[in-house]
Amino acid sequence: MFRKILIVNRGEIAVRVIRACREMGIPTVAVFSDVDRTALHVMKADEAYHIGPAAARESYLNIDRILEVAKRSGADAIHPGYGFLSENAQFAKACADAGVKFIGPSPAAMEAMGSKTRAREAADRAGVPRVPGSVRALESLAQVEEVAAGVGYPVMLKAAAGGGGKGMRRVNAREELASAFEGAKSEALRAFGNGAVYIEKLIVQPRHIEIQMLGDEHGNLVYLGERECSVQRRHQKVIEEAPSAAVDSAMRSAMGETAVALARAAGYYNAGTVEFLVDQDKNFYFLEMNTRLQVEHPVTELVTGLDLVHLQILIAAGAKLPFDQADLQLRGHAIEVRVYAEDPDNNFFPSPGKITRLLTPSGPGIREDSGIYEGWTVPIDYDPMLSKLIAYAPTREQAIRRLRRALDEYFIGGIASNLGLFRRILDDEAFISANIDTDYLDRLLSTTSKPIIPMNGAGEKIAAIAAALMQSTGNGKMPAYPNGVNGAGRAAGQKWKGLARQEALRER
């Protein structure tokens, strides 16, 4: 087993990996930029090292500084988390050259599958159905126009080196191509250090379903079921769940076996995810492979009973998978929401600032993976995700109810968040009936006639004022707010009075 593991990431994923290492008895090393000096992952790790200014290129993407920390700290393994350098084959090679184990796939597999264009070439060689479009990065506007004309509009421009919705542009007509091409390249370069982009045909109203893969370095590969990731905004996942209500056992096997065949052809090991688009006739098409741990891995952990980070570390240390495909069964249902510091009523504009009050949910079937604490200042320099809230229950209906209850217990003061949006989604009949696709959230938001009241930011003062007014009038109830803020038919007054009482009791 490793002597010490360096986590080259920040936020909730760094905390998640630190906790796994602690359970395994492995000391941890954190890295931090100027604005992350007081971040939660820095306080949780056994050691922490400063690596530069806030700009990711000068800190979390600085390979030389990171490897210098590995040497200084004596770490013999590096966990990249997700984002930043997690899918950077050059970094994985640099780790190997420095004698540090990269907890992830081999550089060769990352080059084959981590690049979206090379992964599409691999899919063609393996005979896997994929979304029509280019298989190589496009270098000029003339090439872009030629490919787009060939597949037909609408099309999607996508970054070859990354994910998370960055470097993606929908193009409905030829007149939009030039600006979309330049915008996608620029955003991809900033996010991943690689401005290469390619084109895909846009499949209308598909479901986005992905297969979690796991393989050891001895040639054993399994799939761990699917995740439904169709609730998205601007190609960024918002809610994920496992299993998918649209996938039966036969379809699960077909998609899983396709994913395994593709990964095996690339010599893949460790954790990875093969993503598919599924059309309205349930035909599935290979989209891309993420050669890392996914943000949404907790829902798979809950329905399989496995700890994917533990398994990543064990695989990197040379262990064989302790199970085979026949041993795996899915039990129950899990739903995850991504909590962001952003304002849904202001075009989801980021909301950095100090967290003045934090009440977190708990209770049966609730898991919160968080990178924040009360009193911490959320920086504007990185992705605004604060935490992930996950509910697990025997059925999807029960998981939705449990997640609603947990959201009513969640309060983040001082900044805006998207908690109110989740309350609305979970009360929406289309979501409840699993009638969703990648355009679902856009349709829901387009019907919003009144603000989504987030109960954040100035919520503490509002709660205190409202409670005082209710007390003075003797009215102990308030009408439920629109848009599912506290759920259909649930009174807002009790929560507001509770928040006011807690605020009044705080030491000043």
Side-chain angles (χ1 to χ4, degrees):
M1 187 43 65
F2 302 115
R3 297 187 307 273
K4 190 181 293 185
I5 293 178
L6 168 62
I7 297 104
V8 293
N9 218 297
R10 62 180 302 279
E12 68 84 17
I13 187 57
V15 175
R16 166 74 180 93
V17 177
I18 288 168
R19 286 175 171 153
C21 291
R22 187 151 293 158
E23 291 172 6
M24 300 176 75
I26 306 170
T28 56
V29 182
V31 291
F32 61 92
S33 67
D34 287 347
V35 295
D36 275 341
R37 188 173 295 275
T38 60
L40 187 61
H41 74 281
V42 175
M43 295 187 284
K44 292 284 186 183
D46 297 293
E47 303 173 40
Y49 292 79
H50 177 249
I51 53 170
R57 284 182 173 277
E58 300 179 57
S59 52
Y60 296 105
L61 292 174
N62 192 315
I63 293 175
D64 292 337
R65 288 183 185 173
I66 287 169
L67 291 178
E68 179 186 348
V69 169
K71 183 177 181 180
R72 287 170 57 196
S73 66
D76 55 344
I78 286 179
H79 196 298
Y82 53 74
F84 291 136
L85 294 170
S86 62
E87 294 184 278
N88 189 311
Q90 178 186 351
F91 177 59
K93 289 178 181 177
C95 289
D97 293 341
V100 180
K101 180 67 176 182
F102 179 82
I103 300 176
S106 68
M110 290 178 72
E111 288 180 338
M113 303 305 296
S115 165
K116 314 309 179 188
T117 50
R118 282 192 287 271
R120 289 164 67 80
E121 292 177 345
D124 286 350
R125 290 194 297 270
V128 173
R130 64 164 174 83
V131 179
S134 61
V135 293
R136 291 186 174 86
L138 303 173
E139 299 178 358
S140 68
L141 180 59
Q143 289 180 322
V144 172
E145 291 176 339
E146 181 181 357
V147 175
V151 299
Y153 292 95
V155 298
M156 187 72 73
L157 287 169
K158 302 182 72 173
K166 294 180 174 62
M168 294 180 67
R169 297 289 188 279
R170 173 174 176 160
V171 182
N172 296 306
R174 182 178 181 275
E175 294 73 25
E176 302 172 9
L177 265 181
S179 62
F181 182 49
E182 291 304 317
K185 286 197 303 179
S186 177
E187 187 176 47
L189 185 62
R190 289 195 306 271
F192 313 114
N194 184 336
V197 298
Y198 66 100
I199 277 186
E200 282 181 348
K201 172 67 177 175
L202 184 69
I203 296 178
V204 178
Q205 293 187 338
R207 297 182 88 109
H208 186 142
I209 297 175
E210 60 190 26
I211 300 291
Q212 175 68 60
M213 304 287 307
L214 199 64
D216 62 30
E217 298 183 15
H218 305 276
N220 302 303
L221 271 166
V222 296
Y223 61 91
L224 308 181
E226 80 282 355
R227 294 186 289 254
E228 172 81 63
C229 304
S230 297
V231 181
Q232 303 178 5
R233 178 182 171 272
R234 294 183 178 175
H235 318 296
Q236 175 71 50
K237 299 165 188 173
V238 175
I239 296 180
E240 302 99 348
E241 52 186 306
S244 168
V247 175
D248 58 23
S249 58
M251 185 176 177
R252 180 175 299 118
S253 296
M255 294 180 75
E257 289 166 6
T258 298
V260 166
L262 188 61
R264 193 178 300 282
Y268 196 88
Y269 56 74
N270 214 278
T273 299
V274 179
E275 302 198 354
F276 297 93
L277 291 182
V278 179
D279 67 19
Q280 296 177 7
D281 295 321
K282 292 195 173 184
N283 301 306
F284 59 87
Y285 304 91
F286 171 71
L287 182 64
E288 62 189 33
M289 183 172 187
N290 290 303
T291 58
R292 53 171 167 81
L293 191 69
Q294 293 279 85
V295 177
E296 57 270 25
H297 74 273
V299 295
T300 295
E301 292 184 324
L302 290 170
V303 299
T304 61
L306 301 173
D307 188 308
L308 294 186
V309 179
H310 281 200
L311 288 165
Q312 278 192 295
I313 294 169
L314 290 170
I315 288 167
K320 292 183 178 180
L321 285 178
F323 49 80
D324 57 30
Q325 194 67 58
D327 298 322
L328 296 170
Q329 293 184 351
L330 304 183
R331 294 183 176 87
H333 199 94
I335 307 176
E336 171 185 295
V337 298
R338 301 186 182 192
V339 182
Y340 282 89
E342 61 186 16
D343 186 356
D345 288 331
N346 187 22
N347 197 30
F348 293 84
F349 199 76
S351 178
K354 185 177 181 179
I355 296 174
T356 58
R357 192 75 167 115
L358 181 61
L359 305 176
T360 56
S362 59
I366 295 301
R367 168 176 167 178
E368 187 213 17
D369 284 17
S370 173
I372 63 175
Y373 60 88
E374 188 172 309
W376 183 59
T377 298
V378 180
I380 197 170
D381 308 272
Y382 309 111
D383 185 278
M385 190 168 75
L386 303 173
S387 66
K388 302 178 306 198
L389 180 63
I390 312 103
Y392 174 76
T395 68
R396 186 175 188 269
E397 180 183 7
Q398 290 172 304
I400 290 174
R401 291 179 178 178
R402 186 162 278 175
L403 188 53
R404 283 185 191 137
R405 184 266 298 169
L407 285 166
D408 284 343
E409 297 177 8
Y410 213 162
F411 179 78
I412 305 171
I415 60 173
S417 81
N418 58 348
L419 291 174
L421 173 63
F422 296 130
R423 296 185 182 102
R424 177 164 189 216
I425 293 172
L426 294 178
D427 284 331
D428 180 63
E429 198 56 46
F431 181 82
I432 292 171
S433 61
N435 183 21
I436 54 178
D437 54 63
T438 56
D439 294 327
Y440 159 78
L441 188 54
D442 289 336
R443 292 195 300 271
L444 181 69
L445 292 173
S446 70
T447 65
T448 302
S449 58
K450 297 181 181 180
I452 299 168
I453 300 176
M455 286 293 288
N456 310 332
E460 298 167 3
K461 294 179 181 178
I462 295 172
I465 294 168
L469 288 171
M470 286 188 292
Q471 185 67 30
S472 66
T473 59
N475 180 10
K477 294 183 178 180
M478 288 181 65
Y481 273 82
N483 300 333
V485 170
N486 283 283
R490 293 198 295 277
Q494 296 303 316
K495 183 172 183 180
W496 280 37
K497 286 194 293 184
L499 288 169
R501 285 195 298 270
Q502 292 165 10
E503 187 64 19
L505 290 170
R506 292 180 68 195
E507 292 184 6
R508 296 296 180 179

